[in-house]
């Protein structure tokens, strides 16, 4: 934190900005690289690193979350073995690829129900669920409330006048 404070101080003086700020930025980078997260930060700079591949997989999932997906196919798409892909994916997101896809689906379903006034069945189908009962179980586990109760609670809150 002291280095960041010094960097901010440098930015107020044109001479310091030119000569000292780059040195302080180097110090900050070195401290980050020496931290427990250093390896992941360093990997971000490599074009073909595991982190970069996971970032591409995340982008693919965000664009295609409603499609059926096999982890083996996604790992192949990223040119990684399944075990390596799972390991890298979990280290970046703290979730498995399937858990991540499920979270994307559930958040989108919730958005559809709240902002587009879709019922739970329609929202579930739109985000790729085949089984409405599975959607309801996943939704309840993820948000801690059933879809119908969540919608009812949201509608009730919308009717309360806000000051």
């Amino acid at each position: 934190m002291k280095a960041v404070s010094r960097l901010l101080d440098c930015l107020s003086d044109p001479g310091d900005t030119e000569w000292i700020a780059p040195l302080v930025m180097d110090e900050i980078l070195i401290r980050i690289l020496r931290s427990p997260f250093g390896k992941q930060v360093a990997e971000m700079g490599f074009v073909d690193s595991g982190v970069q591949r996971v970032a591409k997989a995340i982008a693919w999932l965000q664009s295609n979350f409603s499609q059926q997906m096999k982890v083996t196919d996604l790992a192949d798409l990223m040119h990684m073995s399944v075990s390596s892909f799972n390991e890298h994916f979990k280290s970046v997101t703290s979730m498995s690829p399937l858990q991540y896809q499920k979270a994307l689906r559930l958040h989108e379903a919730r958005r559809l129900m709240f902002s587009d006034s879709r019922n739970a069945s329609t929202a579930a189908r739109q985000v790729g669920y085949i089984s409405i009962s599975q959607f309801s179980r996943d939704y309840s586990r993820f948000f801690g409330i059933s879809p119908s109760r969540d919608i009812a609670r949201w509608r009730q809150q919308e009717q309360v006048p806000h000051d």
Side-chain angles (χ1 to χ4, degrees):
M1 283 313 270
K2 292 178 186 177
V4 173
S5 179
R6 284 196 308 278
L7 178 62
L8 292 174
D9 290 342
C10 288
L11 297 178
S12 63
D13 182 325
D16 287 353
T17 300
E18 183 179 356
W19 296 100
I20 298 173
L23 299 171
V24 176
M25 288 175 62
D26 286 346
E27 177 190 352
I28 292 169
L29 181 58
I30 289 167
R31 290 186 184 281
I32 290 171
L33 291 173
R34 290 180 60 205
S35 77
F37 306 104
K39 182 179 179 214
Q40 287 90 347
V41 172
E43 281 184 355
M44 287 180 201
F46 298 121
V47 175
D48 205 28
S49 72
V51 173
Q52 288 290 342
R53 291 178 190 188
V54 168
K56 287 179 188 176
I58 288 169
W60 187 91
L61 283 168
Q62 289 172 335
S63 298
N64 301 283
F65 63 85
S66 63
Q67 295 181 21
Q68 293 297 321
M69 184 260 314
K70 292 181 182 173
V71 176
T72 54
D73 294 341
L74 193 52
D76 286 345
L77 191 63
M78 297 304 128
H79 307 292
M80 298 175 81
S81 70
V82 174
S83 61
S84 178
F85 177 70
N86 277 326
E87 181 183 325
H88 280 88
F89 198 96
K90 193 157 190 163
S91 75
V92 171
T93 65
S94 300
M95 294 183 227
S96 73
L98 291 174
Q99 288 170 326
Y100 190 84
Q101 180 189 38
K102 185 185 295 184
L104 289 172
R105 285 178 170 184
L106 292 169
H107 279 290
E108 178 61 10
R110 192 178 209 199
R111 186 195 69 76
L112 290 169
M113 291 185 304
F114 289 177
S115 64
D116 293 352
S117 299
R118 302 267 166 59
N119 65 37
S121 301
T122 303
R125 277 192 229 90
Q126 278 190 267
V127 300
Y129 273 88
I130 296 168
S131 166
I132 304 306
S133 60
Q134 183 62 50
F135 168 75
S136 187
R137 281 191 300 273
D138 288 347
Y139 192 99
S140 296
R141 266 189 232 113
F142 193 81
F143 292 113
I145 189 170
S146 72
S148 57
R149 285 189 178 154
D150 202 13
I151 293 168
R153 184 178 67 180
W154 178 78
R155 286 184 181 145
Q156 184 179 17
Q157 289 174 348
E158 286 297 302
Q159 292 175 358
V160 174
H162 300 281
D163 293 334

